[in-house]
Each structure stands twice: as C-alpha cells, then as structure tokens.
Amino acid sequence: MEDTREPGAALLDRLVMAASDRDLDGLAGCFAPDYRNETPAHPAQGFTGRDQVRRNWEQIFAVMPDITVQVLRSACHGGVVWSEWDMAGTRPDGAAMQMAGVVIFGVRGEQFAWARFYLEPVQAGARSR
C-alpha cells in the first residue's frame, strides 16, 4: 500500500524508528549533508552538518543507552514538519533524564534540511507522560 502522507510524515517516522532502534546510519540518513540546526533559545548550540547529527546521537546513546523517543504530535504542510517530542532515559549516575519540546523541520527531497530545535530538560520529578 502506497504511503499517501506528506513526505515529512514518513521521514519523521523513519527518524523515530532509527532513534528507537539505535541505528546511527539510518538516523543520519534522515538528514541532508548540509543540514542546519538552529536552537533559538541557545544560539551557541546550533550546528551544521549530518556528521554532527550522528556524533550528537552517538553521544546520547552512550550516555543514555535506555533512551526512549516519542513524537507525541506532529503536523506537516508544504515541506515543514512540526513535531512535539518526549525523550527519557537514565544517566550514568542513575538519575532519570527527560527532555520535552518541539522541533520544526524543513524537508528537502527525502531528508531534513534544517530544524529549529526547542527541546529542554524537564524538571526532576515532573514527568509529563
């Protein structure tokens, strides 16, 4: 059966599946080589490049091997994907860690070309699930 959703919806599903499977190649393949990540609340954390995406996720998997990744809601229109994320895991010191927020992706072809990243740590003891 053909996937009739907008291309960004299928790409978002691929990204979540790759993250859940800890598939670094599949995950990195979701991003264009010249991918641009902007973090408006923390401008110095922005970066460019698929290779940096891979390095970031490699570090995340090393620090939180039990990480779970969920997209709670998403909407796609005209090559832009709005997505609400919830990520949780255990840090090496045994403390629970949760990140929540929104990522807005721009799609070019079958890859993410850019993102505006608004994920933040959730206050300890305030799990939103």
Side-chain angles (χ1 to χ4, degrees):
M1 185 168 168
E2 185 178 343
D3 190 345
T4 58
R5 299 175 299 162
E6 290 210 27
L11 183 54
L12 186 62
D13 287 348
R14 276 186 26 221
L15 176 59
V16 171
M17 175 90 54
S20 295
D21 291 345
R22 286 144 185 78
D23 175 4
L24 283 171
D25 291 333
L27 195 147
C30 293
F31 297 88
D34 61 344
Y35 168 77
R36 191 179 72 257
N37 184 291
E38 298 174 359
T39 52
H42 308 281
Q45 293 178 9
F47 64 89
T48 301
R50 172 194 304 162
D51 292 340
Q52 187 62 53
V53 171
R54 183 186 178 94
R55 284 190 295 273
N56 290 352
W57 277 96
E58 201 167 35
Q59 184 176 15
I60 290 167
F61 293 150
V63 172
M64 287 190 295
D66 66 342
I67 191 168
T68 59
V69 178
Q70 293 182 321
V71 171
L72 305 175
R73 292 168 193 81
S74 64
C76 305
H77 182 70
V80 177
V81 178
W82 290 69
S83 55
E84 180 185 1
W85 290 74
D86 184 78
M87 300 183 345
T90 308
R91 296 187 318 210
D93 65 2
M97 173 72 174
Q98 183 182 8
M99 300 280 288
V102 172
V103 181
I104 306 165
F105 291 104
V107 178
R108 181 177 66 229
E110 295 188 15
Q111 295 177 314
F112 293 122
W114 58 265
R116 292 182 57 84
F117 198 82
Y118 299 94
L119 288 182
E120 295 286 336
V122 175
Q123 290 178 318
R127 287 190 65 86
S128 64
R129 287 190 187 188

